[in-house]
Coordinates of all heavy atoms in Angstrom, one line a residue:
Y13 N 24.3 164.3 156.7 CA 25.3 164.7 155.7 C 25.6 163.5 154.8 O 25.8 162.4 155.4 CB 26.5 165.2 156.3 CG 26.3 166.5 157.1 CD1 26.2 166.4 158.5 CD2 26.0 167.7 156.5 CE1 26.0 167.6 159.3 CE2 25.8 168.8 157.3 CZ 25.7 168.8 158.6 OH 25.5 169.9 159.4
N14 N 25.8 163.7 153.6 CA 26.1 162.6 152.6 C 27.6 162.6 152.5 O 28.2 163.4 151.7 CB 25.4 162.8 151.3 CG 25.6 161.6 150.4 OD1 26.5 160.8 150.6 ND2 24.8 161.6 149.3
L15 N 28.3 161.7 153.1 CA 29.8 161.6 153.1 C 30.2 160.9 151.8 O 31.4 160.8 151.6 CB 30.3 160.9 154.3 CG 30.1 161.6 155.6 CD1 30.6 160.8 156.8 CD2 30.8 163.0 155.6
E16 N 29.3 160.5 150.9 CA 29.7 160.0 149.6 C 29.9 161.1 148.6 O 30.6 161.0 147.6 CB 28.7 159.0 149.1 CG 28.6 157.7 149.9 CD 27.6 156.7 149.3 OE1 27.2 156.9 148.1 OE2 27.3 155.8 150.0
T17 N 29.4 162.3 148.9 CA 29.5 163.4 148.0 C 30.2 164.6 148.6 O 30.7 165.5 147.9 CB 28.1 163.9 147.5 OG1 27.3 164.3 148.7 CG2 27.4 162.8 146.8
R18 N 30.4 164.6 149.9 CA 31.1 165.7 150.6 C 32.1 165.1 151.6 O 31.8 164.1 152.2 CB 30.2 166.6 151.3 CG 29.2 167.3 150.5 CD 28.2 168.2 151.2 NE 28.9 169.3 151.9 CZ 28.4 170.0 152.8 NH1 27.2 169.8 153.3 NH2 29.1 171.1 153.3
S19 N 33.3 165.7 151.7 CA 34.3 165.3 152.6 C 33.9 165.7 154.1 O 33.3 166.7 154.3 CB 35.6 165.7 152.3 OG 35.8 167.1 152.6
L20 N 34.4 164.9 155.0 CA 34.2 165.3 156.4 C 34.8 166.7 156.7 O 34.2 167.5 157.4 CB 34.8 164.2 157.3 CG 34.8 164.6 158.8 CD1 33.4 164.7 159.4 CD2 35.6 163.5 159.6
Y21 N 36.0 166.9 156.1 CA 36.7 168.2 156.4 C 35.9 169.4 155.8 O 35.8 170.4 156.4 CB 38.1 168.2 155.8 CG 39.0 167.2 156.5 CD1 40.1 166.6 155.9 CD2 38.7 166.8 157.8 CE1 40.9 165.7 156.5 CE2 39.6 165.9 158.5 CZ 40.7 165.4 157.8 OH 41.5 164.5 158.4
E22 N 35.3 169.2 154.6 CA 34.4 170.2 154.1 C 33.2 170.5 155.0 O 32.9 171.7 155.2 CB 33.9 169.8 152.7 CG 33.0 170.8 152.0 CD 32.4 170.3 150.8 OE1 32.7 169.2 150.3 OE2 31.5 171.0 150.3
I23 N 32.6 169.5 155.5 CA 31.5 169.7 156.4 C 31.9 170.4 157.7 O 31.3 171.4 158.1 CB 30.8 168.4 156.7 CG1 30.2 167.8 155.4 CG2 29.8 168.5 157.8 CD1 29.7 166.4 155.5
L24 N 33.0 170.0 158.3 CA 33.5 170.7 159.5 C 33.8 172.2 159.2 O 33.6 173.0 160.0 CB 34.8 170.0 160.0 CG 34.6 168.6 160.6 CD1 35.9 167.9 160.9 CD2 33.7 168.7 161.8
R25 N 34.4 172.5 158.0 CA 34.7 173.8 157.7 C 33.5 174.7 157.4 O 33.4 175.8 157.9 CB 35.7 173.8 156.5 CG 36.3 175.2 156.2 CD 37.2 175.2 154.9 NE 36.3 175.1 153.7 CZ 36.3 174.0 153.0 NH1 37.1 173.0 153.2 NH2 35.5 173.9 151.9
T26 N 32.6 174.2 156.6 CA 31.5 175.0 156.1 C 30.3 175.1 157.1 O 29.7 176.1 157.2 CB 31.0 174.6 154.7 OG1 30.5 173.2 154.8 CG2 32.1 174.7 153.7
Q27 N 30.0 174.0 157.7 CA 28.9 173.9 158.6 C 29.2 174.3 160.1 O 28.3 174.8 160.8 CB 28.2 172.5 158.6 CG 27.8 172.1 157.2 CD 26.7 172.9 156.7 OE1 25.7 173.2 157.3 NE2 26.9 173.4 155.4
Y28 N 30.4 173.9 160.5 CA 30.8 174.1 161.9 C 31.9 175.2 162.1 O 32.3 175.4 163.2 CB 31.2 172.8 162.5 CG 30.0 171.8 162.5 CD1 29.9 170.9 161.5 CD2 29.0 171.9 163.5 CE1 28.9 170.0 161.5 CE2 27.9 171.0 163.5 CZ 27.9 170.0 162.5 OH 26.8 169.2 162.5
R29 N 32.4 175.7 161.0 CA 33.4 176.7 161.0 C 34.7 176.3 161.7 O 35.4 177.1 162.3 CB 32.9 178.0 161.6 CG 31.7 178.5 160.9 CD 31.7 180.0 160.8 NE 30.4 180.6 160.4 CZ 29.8 180.4 159.2 NH1 30.3 179.6 158.3 NH2 28.7 181.0 159.0
F30 N 35.0 175.0 161.7 CA 36.3 174.5 162.2 C 37.4 174.8 161.1 O 37.2 174.5 160.0 CB 36.3 173.0 162.5 CG 35.5 172.7 163.7 CD1 34.5 171.8 163.7 CD2 35.8 173.3 165.0 CE1 33.7 171.5 164.8 CE2 35.1 172.9 166.1 CZ 34.0 172.0 166.0
Q31 N 38.5 175.3 161.5 CA 39.6 175.5 160.6 C 40.7 174.5 160.9 O 41.4 174.6 161.9 CB 40.2 177.0 160.7 CG 39.2 178.0 160.3 CD 38.8 177.9 158.9 OE1 39.6 177.7 158.0 NE2 37.6 178.2 158.6
L32 N 40.8 173.5 160.0 CA 41.8 172.5 160.2 C 43.2 173.1 159.8 O 43.3 173.5 158.7 CB 41.5 171.3 159.4 CG 40.1 170.7 159.6 CD1 39.8 169.6 158.6 CD2 39.9 170.3 161.0
T33 N 44.1 173.0 160.7 CA 45.4 173.7 160.4 C 46.6 172.7 160.4 O 47.7 173.1 160.0 CB 45.7 174.8 161.4 OG1 45.7 174.2 162.7 CG2 44.6 175.9 161.3
G34 N 46.4 171.5 160.9 CA 47.6 170.6 160.9 C 47.2 169.2 161.3 O 46.1 168.9 161.7
G35 N 48.2 168.4 161.3 CA 48.0 167.0 161.8 C 49.3 166.3 161.8 O 50.4 166.8 161.4
E36 N 49.2 165.1 162.3 CA 50.4 164.2 162.4 C 49.9 162.8 162.0 O 48.9 162.4 162.5 CB 50.9 164.3 163.8 CG 52.1 163.4 164.0 CD 52.6 163.5 165.4 OE1 53.2 164.5 165.8 OE2 52.4 162.6 166.2
E37 N 50.7 162.1 161.3 CA 50.4 160.7 160.9 C 51.7 159.9 161.2 O 52.8 160.3 161.0 CB 50.1 160.5 159.5 CG 49.7 159.1 159.1 CD 49.2 159.0 157.7 OE1 49.9 159.4 156.8 OE2 48.1 158.4 157.5
N38 N 51.4 158.7 161.8 CA 52.5 157.8 162.1 C 52.2 156.5 161.4 O 51.1 156.0 161.3 CB 52.5 157.5 163.6 CG 52.8 158.7 164.4 OD1 53.9 159.3 164.3 ND2 51.8 159.2 165.2
I39 N 53.3 155.9 160.8 CA 53.2 154.6 160.1 C 54.2 153.7 160.7 O 55.4 154.0 160.9 CB 53.5 154.8 158.6 CG1 52.5 155.8 158.0 CG2 53.4 153.5 157.9 CD1 52.9 156.2 156.6
S40 N 53.7 152.5 161.1 CA 54.6 151.5 161.6 C 54.1 150.1 161.1 O 53.1 150.0 160.4 CB 54.6 151.5 163.2 OG 53.3 151.3 163.7
I41 N 54.8 149.1 161.6 CA 54.4 147.7 161.2 C 54.0 146.9 162.4 O 54.7 147.1 163.5 CB 55.6 147.0 160.4 CG1 55.9 147.8 159.1 CG2 55.3 145.6 160.2 CD1 57.1 147.3 158.4
T42 N 53.0 146.1 162.3 CA 52.6 145.2 163.3 C 52.1 143.9 162.7 O 52.3 143.7 161.5 CB 51.5 145.9 164.2 OG1 51.2 145.1 165.3 CG2 50.2 146.1 163.4
Y43 N 51.6 143.0 163.5 CA 51.1 141.7 163.0 C 49.7 141.5 163.3 O 49.2 141.9 164.4 CB 52.0 140.6 163.6 CG 53.4 140.8 163.2 CD1 54.3 141.5 164.1 CD2 53.9 140.3 162.0 CE1 55.6 141.7 163.7 CE2 55.3 140.5 161.6 CZ 56.1 141.2 162.5 OH 57.4 141.4 162.2
A44 N 48.9 141.0 162.3 CA 47.5 140.9 162.5 C 47.2 139.8 163.5 O 47.7 138.7 163.4 CB 46.9 140.5 161.1
D45 N 46.3 140.2 164.4 CA 45.8 139.2 165.4 C 44.7 138.4 164.7 O 44.3 138.7 163.6 CB 45.4 139.9 166.7 CG 44.1 140.7 166.6 OD1 43.3 140.5 165.7 OD2 44.0 141.6 167.4
P46 N 44.1 137.4 165.4 CA 43.1 136.5 164.7 C 41.9 137.3 164.2 O 41.5 137.0 163.1 CB 42.7 135.5 165.8 CG 43.9 135.4 166.7 CD 44.5 136.8 166.7
M47 N 41.4 138.2 165.0 CA 40.2 139.0 164.5 C 40.6 139.9 163.3 O 39.9 140.0 162.3 CB 39.6 139.8 165.6 CG 38.3 140.6 165.2 SD 37.6 141.4 166.6 CE 38.7 142.7 166.9
E48 N 41.7 140.6 163.4 CA 42.1 141.5 162.3 C 42.4 140.7 161.1 O 42.0 141.1 160.0 CB 43.4 142.2 162.8 CG 43.2 143.2 163.9 CD 44.4 143.6 164.6 OE1 45.5 143.0 164.5 OE2 44.3 144.6 165.4
A49 N 43.1 139.5 161.2 CA 43.3 138.7 160.0 C 42.1 138.3 159.4 O 42.0 138.2 158.1 CB 44.1 137.5 160.5
K50 N 41.0 137.9 160.1 CA 39.8 137.5 159.5 C 39.2 138.7 158.7 O 38.7 138.5 157.6 CB 38.8 137.1 160.7 CG 37.5 136.6 160.1 CD 36.6 136.2 161.3 CE 35.2 135.8 160.7 NZ 34.3 135.4 161.7
F51 N 39.1 139.9 159.3 CA 38.6 141.1 158.6 C 39.4 141.4 157.4 O 38.8 141.8 156.3 CB 38.5 142.3 159.5 CG 37.4 142.3 160.5 CD1 37.7 142.4 161.9 CD2 36.1 142.1 160.1 CE1 36.7 142.4 162.8 CE2 35.1 142.1 161.1 CZ 35.3 142.3 162.4
L52 N 40.7 141.3 157.4 CA 41.5 141.6 156.3 C 41.7 140.5 155.3 O 42.4 140.7 154.3 CB 42.9 142.1 156.8 CG 42.9 143.4 157.6 CD1 44.3 143.6 158.3 CD2 42.5 144.6 156.8
E53 N 41.2 139.3 155.7 CA 41.3 138.1 154.8 C 42.7 137.8 154.5 O 43.1 137.6 153.4 CB 40.5 138.3 153.5 CG 39.0 138.6 153.8 CD 38.2 138.8 152.5 OE1 38.8 139.1 151.5 OE2 36.9 138.8 152.6
I54 N 43.5 137.7 155.6 CA 44.9 137.3 155.5 C 45.2 136.3 156.6 O 44.5 136.2 157.6 CB 45.9 138.5 155.6 CG1 45.6 139.3 156.9 CG2 45.7 139.5 154.4 CD1 46.5 140.4 157.2
P55 N 46.3 135.6 156.5 CA 46.7 134.6 157.6 C 47.0 135.4 158.9 O 47.6 136.5 158.8 CB 47.9 133.9 157.1 CG 47.8 134.1 155.6 CD 47.2 135.4 155.3
E56 N 46.7 134.8 160.0 CA 47.1 135.4 161.3 C 48.6 135.6 161.4 O 49.4 134.8 160.8 CB 46.7 134.4 162.4 CG 46.8 134.9 163.8 CD 46.3 133.8 164.8 OE1 45.3 133.1 164.5 OE2 46.8 133.8 165.9
N57 N 49.0 136.6 162.0 CA 50.4 137.0 162.2 C 51.1 137.5 160.9 O 52.3 137.7 160.9 CB 51.3 135.9 162.8 CG 50.8 135.6 164.3 OD1 50.6 136.5 165.0 ND2 50.7 134.3 164.6
T58 N 50.3 137.9 159.9 CA 50.8 138.5 158.7 C 51.2 139.9 159.1 O 50.5 140.6 159.8 CB 49.8 138.5 157.6 OG1 49.5 137.1 157.3 CG2 50.3 139.2 156.4
G59 N 52.3 140.4 158.5 CA 52.7 141.8 158.7 C 51.8 142.7 158.0 O 51.4 142.5 156.9
V60 N 51.3 143.8 158.8 CA 50.5 144.8 158.2 C 51.0 146.2 158.6 O 51.8 146.3 159.6 CB 49.0 144.6 158.7 CG1 48.4 143.4 158.2 CG2 48.9 144.7 160.3
F61 N 50.6 147.2 157.9 CA 50.9 148.6 158.3 C 49.9 149.1 159.3 O 48.7 148.9 159.1 CB 51.0 149.5 157.0 CG 52.1 149.2 156.2 CD1 52.1 148.4 155.1 CD2 53.4 149.9 156.4 CE1 53.2 148.1 154.3 CE2 54.5 149.7 155.6 CZ 54.4 148.8 154.5
Y62 N 50.4 149.7 160.3 CA 49.6 150.4 161.3 C 49.7 151.9 161.1 O 50.8 152.4 161.3 CB 50.1 149.9 162.7 CG 49.3 150.6 163.8 CD1 48.0 150.2 164.2 CD2 49.9 151.6 164.6 CE1 47.4 150.8 165.2 CE2 49.3 152.2 165.6 CZ 48.0 151.8 165.9 OH 47.3 152.4 167.0
L63 N 48.6 152.5 160.8 CA 48.6 153.9 160.6 C 47.7 154.6 161.7 O 46.7 154.1 162.0 CB 48.0 154.3 159.3 CG 48.6 153.7 158.1 CD1 47.8 152.7 157.4 CD2 49.0 154.8 157.1
S64 N 48.3 155.6 162.3 CA 47.5 156.4 163.3 C 47.8 157.9 163.1 O 48.9 158.2 162.6 CB 47.8 155.9 164.7 OG 49.2 156.2 165.0
G65 N 46.9 158.7 163.5 CA 47.1 160.1 163.4 C 46.1 160.9 164.0 O 45.0 160.5 164.5
T66 N 46.4 162.2 164.1 CA 45.5 163.2 164.7 C 45.5 164.4 163.8 O 46.5 164.8 163.2 CB 46.0 163.7 166.1 OG1 46.2 162.5 166.9 CG2 45.0 164.6 166.7
V67 N 44.3 165.0 163.6 CA 44.1 166.3 162.9 C 43.6 167.3 163.9 O 42.7 167.0 164.7 CB 43.2 166.1 161.7 CG1 43.0 167.5 161.0 CG2 43.7 165.1 160.7
W68 N 44.2 168.5 163.8 CA 43.7 169.5 164.8 C 43.4 170.9 164.2 O 43.7 171.1 163.0 CB 44.8 169.7 165.9 CG 46.2 170.0 165.4 CD1 46.6 171.2 164.9 CD2 47.3 169.1 165.3 NE1 48.0 171.1 164.6 CE2 48.4 169.9 164.8 CE3 47.5 167.8 165.6 CZ2 49.6 169.3 164.5 CZ3 48.7 167.2 165.4 CH2 49.8 168.0 164.8
D69 N 42.8 171.7 165.0 CA 42.4 173.1 164.5 C 43.5 174.1 165.0 O 44.6 173.7 165.5 CB 41.0 173.5 165.0 CG 41.0 173.7 166.5 OD1 42.0 173.6 167.2 OD2 39.8 173.8 167.1
E70 N 43.2 175.4 164.8 CA 44.2 176.4 165.1 C 44.6 176.5 166.5 O 45.7 177.0 166.9 CB 43.8 177.8 164.5 CG 42.4 178.2 165.0 CD 41.6 178.8 163.9 OE1 42.1 179.0 162.8 OE2 40.4 179.1 164.1
Q71 N 43.7 176.0 167.5 CA 44.1 176.0 168.9 C 44.7 174.7 169.3 O 44.9 174.4 170.5 CB 42.8 176.2 169.7 CG 42.4 177.7 169.8 CD 41.5 178.0 168.6 OE1 40.7 177.2 168.1 NE2 41.7 179.2 168.0
K72 N 45.0 173.8 168.3 CA 45.6 172.5 168.5 C 44.6 171.6 169.2 O 45.0 170.6 169.9 CB 46.9 172.6 169.3 CG 48.1 173.2 168.6 CD 48.8 172.2 167.8 CE 50.1 172.8 167.3 NZ 50.8 171.9 166.5
T73 N 43.3 171.9 169.1 CA 42.3 171.0 169.6 C 42.1 169.8 168.6 O 41.9 170.1 167.4 CB 40.9 171.7 169.7 OG1 41.1 172.8 170.6 CG2 39.9 170.8 170.3
P74 N 42.2 168.6 169.0 CA 42.1 167.5 168.1 C 40.6 167.4 167.6 O 39.7 167.5 168.3 CB 42.4 166.2 169.0 CG 43.1 166.7 170.2 CD 42.6 168.1 170.4
L75 N 40.5 167.3 166.3 CA 39.2 167.2 165.6 C 39.0 165.8 165.1 O 37.9 165.4 164.8 CB 39.1 168.2 164.5 CG 39.1 169.6 164.9 CD1 39.0 170.6 163.7 CD2 38.0 169.9 165.9
E76 N 40.1 165.0 164.8 CA 40.0 163.7 164.3 C 41.2 162.9 164.9 O 42.3 163.4 164.9 CB 40.0 163.6 162.8 CG 40.0 162.3 162.2 CD 40.2 162.2 160.7 OE1 40.7 163.2 160.1 OE2 39.8 161.2 160.1
Y77 N 40.9 161.7 165.3 CA 41.9 160.7 165.6 C 41.6 159.4 164.9 O 40.4 159.0 164.9 CB 42.0 160.5 167.1 CG 43.0 159.5 167.5 CD1 44.4 159.8 167.5 CD2 42.7 158.2 167.9 CE1 45.3 158.8 167.8 CE2 43.6 157.2 168.2 CZ 44.9 157.5 168.1 OH 45.9 156.6 168.4
Y78 N 42.6 158.8 164.3 CA 42.3 157.6 163.6 C 43.4 156.5 163.8 O 44.5 156.9 164.1 CB 42.1 157.8 162.1 CG 43.3 158.3 161.4 CD1 44.3 157.5 160.9 CD2 43.5 159.7 161.3 CE1 45.4 158.0 160.3 CE2 44.6 160.2 160.7 CZ 45.6 159.3 160.2 OH 46.7 159.8 159.6
K79 N 43.0 155.3 163.7 CA 43.9 154.1 163.7 C 43.4 153.2 162.6 O 42.2 152.9 162.5 CB 43.9 153.4 165.0 CG 44.4 154.2 166.2 CD 44.7 153.4 167.4 CE 43.4 153.0 168.1 NZ 43.6 152.3 169.4
S80 N 44.3 152.7 161.8 CA 44.0 151.8 160.7 C 45.0 150.7 160.6 O 46.2 151.0 160.8 CB 43.9 152.5 159.4 OG 42.9 153.5 159.4
L81 N 44.6 149.6 160.2 CA 45.5 148.5 159.7 C 45.3 148.3 158.2 O 44.2 148.3 157.8 CB 45.2 147.2 160.4 CG 45.4 147.1 161.9 CD1 45.1 145.7 162.5 CD2 46.9 147.4 162.2
V82 N 46.4 148.3 157.5 CA 46.4 148.1 156.1 C 47.2 146.9 155.6 O 48.3 146.8 156.1 CB 46.9 149.4 155.4 CG1 46.8 149.3 153.9 CG2 46.1 150.7 155.9
R83 N 46.6 146.1 154.8 CA 47.4 145.0 154.3 C 48.6 145.5 153.5 O 48.6 146.4 152.7 CB 46.5 144.2 153.3 CG 45.4 143.4 154.0 CD 44.5 142.7 153.0 NE 45.2 142.1 151.9 CZ 44.6 141.1 151.1 NH1 43.4 140.7 151.4 NH2 45.3 140.6 150.1
S84 N 49.7 144.8 153.8 CA 51.0 145.3 153.2 C 51.0 145.1 151.6 O 51.7 145.8 150.9 CB 52.2 144.5 153.8 OG 52.0 143.1 153.6
D85 N 50.2 144.2 151.1 CA 50.1 144.0 149.7 C 49.2 145.0 149.0 O 49.2 145.0 147.7 CB 49.7 142.5 149.3 CG 48.3 142.2 149.8 OD1 47.9 142.8 150.9 OD2 47.7 141.3 149.2
L86 N 48.5 145.8 149.7 CA 47.6 146.8 149.1 C 48.0 148.2 149.4 O 47.3 149.1 148.9 CB 46.2 146.5 149.7 CG 45.6 145.1 149.4 CD1 44.2 145.0 150.0 CD2 45.5 144.9 147.9
L87 N 49.0 148.5 150.2 CA 49.3 149.8 150.5 C 50.2 150.5 149.4 O 51.1 149.9 148.9 CB 50.1 149.9 151.8 CG 50.5 151.3 152.3 CD1 49.3 152.1 152.8 CD2 51.6 151.2 153.4
K88 N 49.8 151.7 149.1 CA 50.6 152.5 148.2 C 50.9 153.8 149.0 O 50.0 154.5 149.4 CB 49.9 152.8 146.9 CG 50.7 153.7 146.0 CD 49.9 154.1 144.8 CE 50.8 155.1 144.0 NZ 50.0 155.6 142.8
Y89 N 52.1 154.1 149.1 CA 52.5 155.3 149.9 C 53.1 156.3 149.0 O 54.0 156.0 148.1 CB 53.5 154.9 151.0 CG 54.0 156.1 151.8 CD1 53.3 156.6 152.8 CD2 55.3 156.7 151.5 CE1 53.7 157.7 153.5 CE2 55.7 157.8 152.2 CZ 54.9 158.3 153.2 OH 55.4 159.3 154.0
S90 N 52.7 157.5 149.1 CA 53.3 158.6 148.3 C 53.4 159.8 149.2 O 52.6 160.0 150.1 CB 52.5 158.9 147.0 OG 51.2 159.4 147.4
S91 N 54.3 160.7 148.8 CA 54.6 161.9 149.6 C 54.9 163.0 148.7 O 55.6 162.8 147.7 CB 55.7 161.6 150.6 OG 56.0 162.7 151.4
T92 N 54.5 164.2 149.1 CA 54.9 165.4 148.3 C 55.7 166.3 149.3 O 55.3 166.6 150.4 CB 53.6 166.2 147.9 OG1 52.8 165.4 147.1 CG2 54.0 167.5 147.2
L93 N 56.9 166.6 148.8 CA 57.8 167.5 149.6 C 57.8 168.9 149.1 O 57.9 169.1 147.9 CB 59.2 166.9 149.6 CG 59.3 165.4 150.1 CD1 60.7 164.9 149.9 CD2 58.9 165.3 151.5
R94 N 57.7 169.8 150.0 CA 57.7 171.2 149.5 C 58.8 172.0 150.4 O 59.1 171.6 151.5 CB 56.4 171.9 149.8 CG 55.3 171.3 148.9 CD 54.1 172.2 148.9 NE 53.2 171.7 147.9 CZ 52.1 171.0 148.2 NH1 51.8 170.7 149.4 NH2 51.3 170.6 147.2
R95 N 59.3 173.0 149.8 CA 60.3 173.8 150.5 C 59.8 175.2 150.6 O 59.1 175.7 149.9 CB 61.6 173.8 149.6 CG 62.7 174.3 150.4 CD 63.9 174.1 149.6 NE 64.3 175.4 149.0 CZ 65.5 175.8 148.7 NH1 66.4 174.9 148.7 NH2 65.8 177.0 148.3

């Protein structure tokens, strides 16, 4: 599959018939260890955002789990609230 032209979620839905119904994301702050600092091109112990989350199907079976570190100078956070 070409993930440059199709999203993973589209492939899961159309090819494998998974219905993604929800998820949870957590955002916190941590400090870059030596290896993370090297990859992120920042000084060691710099504050970074730690994102983790899970996406699940209608039976609450996890289909994706992720963990990411994001440089604090590059993160843009936005949220849409609905009622």
Side-chain angles (χ1 to χ4, degrees):
Y13 299 104
N14 186 347
L15 294 175
E16 290 183 17
T17 60
R18 295 178 69 194
S19 77
L20 173 61
Y21 295 155
E22 177 189 353
I23 293 167
L24 289 172
R25 187 182 72 251
T26 60
Q27 301 296 312
Y28 298 98
R29 306 220 192 295
F30 288 124
Q31 295 298 319
L32 307 176
T33 59
E36 178 179 287
E37 181 174 54
N38 300 294
I39 302 172
S40 59
I41 296 174
T42 190
Y43 299 93
D45 68 23
M47 184 175 69
E48 294 162 345
K50 181 179 177 181
F51 283 125
L52 294 172
E53 299 177 347
I54 57 175
E56 187 177 329
N57 293 318
T58 298
V60 293
F61 286 94
Y62 176 75
L63 302 111
S64 64
T66 305
V67 177
W68 54 77
D69 66 10
E70 54 220 355
Q71 284 82 39
K72 293 269 188 183
T73 302
L75 297 176
E76 177 187 18
Y77 177 74
Y78 63 89
K79 295 193 285 187
S80 298
L81 292 180
V82 181
R83 288 175 43 161
S84 59
D85 61 332
L86 299 178
L87 180 73
K88 178 184 176 185
Y89 178 79
S90 63
S91 178
T92 302
L93 303 175
R94 293 193 175 102
R95 195 173 104 155

